Amino acid sequence: VFVPLVSFTLLFGRVFCGWVCPLGTLQEFVFRIPVLKKFNLKESLRFRRGKFLILVLFFILGIFLLFKLKPKSFFFVENIAAFWGLALMLIVSLALWKPNFDTRFKKLRLFSLIFWLTLIILGIFTTDPWCVLYGNVIDYSSILAFLAVSISTLFISMAWCRYLCPLGSFLGLLVKFSLTKIKQEKIYSISSKKLKGVCPVEALGSDSIDESSCLYCGRCINAG
């Protein structure tokens, strides 16, 4: 699966992330739940702080479940997926408290990728948040991580894709060599009013597109 995934990315960009990834699809669906979306679109300080407190409570609950259900041996190795999910909830909490941290936190994907590759090199087998959807090994750690990703995306769209997905980070690096590019001049010919809130990962900067974050979903193009 990895070979065609890399090939498609080099040819067409991050089409897997924008069109195929089941975890990304789930995040998109969750964020679009009408009642929750109406709550999420409110960006006043009061609502941001309220969402921050709610997510902190979920974070504390996650830590409680982590230690309540912990295995008797290999605590760190058997809980890597859960730590990943809890780290995401912490990052989203801080991004809610200080929205200007969003751009900085996107760089954490690279550290997540390095960590992922290190595990592979060391031969350490671990489950991941996406194992619940398309893995053949499901344990409490991957379920906890999956729930953490689902909860996080209630507050910030595509949270896992934005901040910690190691596969997305890897494909984001390959995009630099992709034969398919988003025509930035076409995007920025569209009025900023139409583009506001269109990108699910906020890859549209004031005058350029963050290609490593772009999911190639095409929403910005269709906005025109």
Side-chain angles (χ1 to χ4, degrees):
V1 174
F2 189 71
V3 173
L5 184 59
V6 170
S7 301
F8 267 86
T9 302
L10 291 174
L11 289 173
F12 307 111
R14 287 178 64 181
V15 290
F16 174 80
C17 297
W19 294 86
V20 181
C21 177
L23 190 56
T25 302
L26 175 75
Q27 291 179 88
E28 185 177 352
F29 173 77
V30 170
F31 191 76
R32 284 188 173 192
I33 297 174
V35 176
L36 297 173
K37 186 175 182 179
K38 186 176 180 181
F39 172 74
N40 282 320
L41 291 177
K42 295 182 178 180
E43 293 296 332
S44 67
L45 181 62
R46 175 187 172 188
F47 274 95
R48 282 209 315 271
R49 297 293 164 84
K51 289 185 282 188
F52 167 80
L53 292 174
I54 293 172
L55 192 54
V56 167
L57 290 177
F58 277 119
F59 177 73
I60 294 172
L61 176 61
I63 293 178
F64 171 78
L65 291 175
L66 175 64
F67 284 91
K68 186 71 175 178
L69 303 173
K70 66 180 181 180
K72 295 181 179 179
S73 60
F74 303 110
F75 176 73
F76 177 74
V77 172
E78 294 190 27
N79 286 279
I80 289 176
F83 282 124
W84 238 323
L86 290 173
L88 179 65
M89 294 179 75
L90 180 60
I91 291 168
V92 171
S93 298
L94 295 174
L96 286 172
W97 189 262
K98 291 285 187 180
N100 59 327
F101 284 173
D102 177 74
T103 304
R104 300 177 188 177
F105 286 152
K106 286 179 180 178
K107 297 177 182 179
L108 292 174
R109 288 196 310 267
L110 182 59
F111 293 98
S112 186
L113 172 61
I114 294 173
F115 178 64
W116 186 44
L117 292 175
T118 301
L119 293 176
I120 294 174
I121 293 172
L122 295 178
I124 298 175
F125 174 80
T126 177
T127 55
D128 303 287
W130 54 82
C131 284
V132 175
L133 290 178
Y134 57 98
N136 60 352
V137 178
I138 301 177
D139 62 339
Y140 87 95
S141 180
S142 59
I143 292 175
L144 183 58
F146 175 76
L147 291 175
V149 170
S150 302
I151 291 171
S152 296
T153 203
L154 290 173
F155 300 91
I156 291 182
S157 67
M158 311 296 281
W160 173 254
C161 302
R162 284 193 195 212
Y163 304 126
L164 285 184
C165 181
L167 180 59
S169 177
F170 176 72
L171 298 181
L173 295 176
L174 291 182
V175 164
K176 296 179 180 179
F177 309 101
S178 174
L179 298 179
T180 304
K181 300 288 185 180
I182 300 292
K183 293 184 177 180
Q184 302 200 24
E185 62 275 9
K186 182 177 180 179
I187 302 301
Y188 287 99
S189 64
I190 303 171
S191 68
S192 57
K193 186 177 181 180
K194 289 184 177 181
L195 289 176
K196 185 177 181 181
V198 166
C199 182
V201 291
E202 297 185 23
L204 300 177
S206 58
D207 56 1
S208 63
I209 298 174
D210 179 3
E211 291 187 342
S212 64
S213 295
C214 178
L215 301 181
Y216 280 63
C217 65
R219 290 182 188 173
C220 54
I221 299 175
N222 293 330

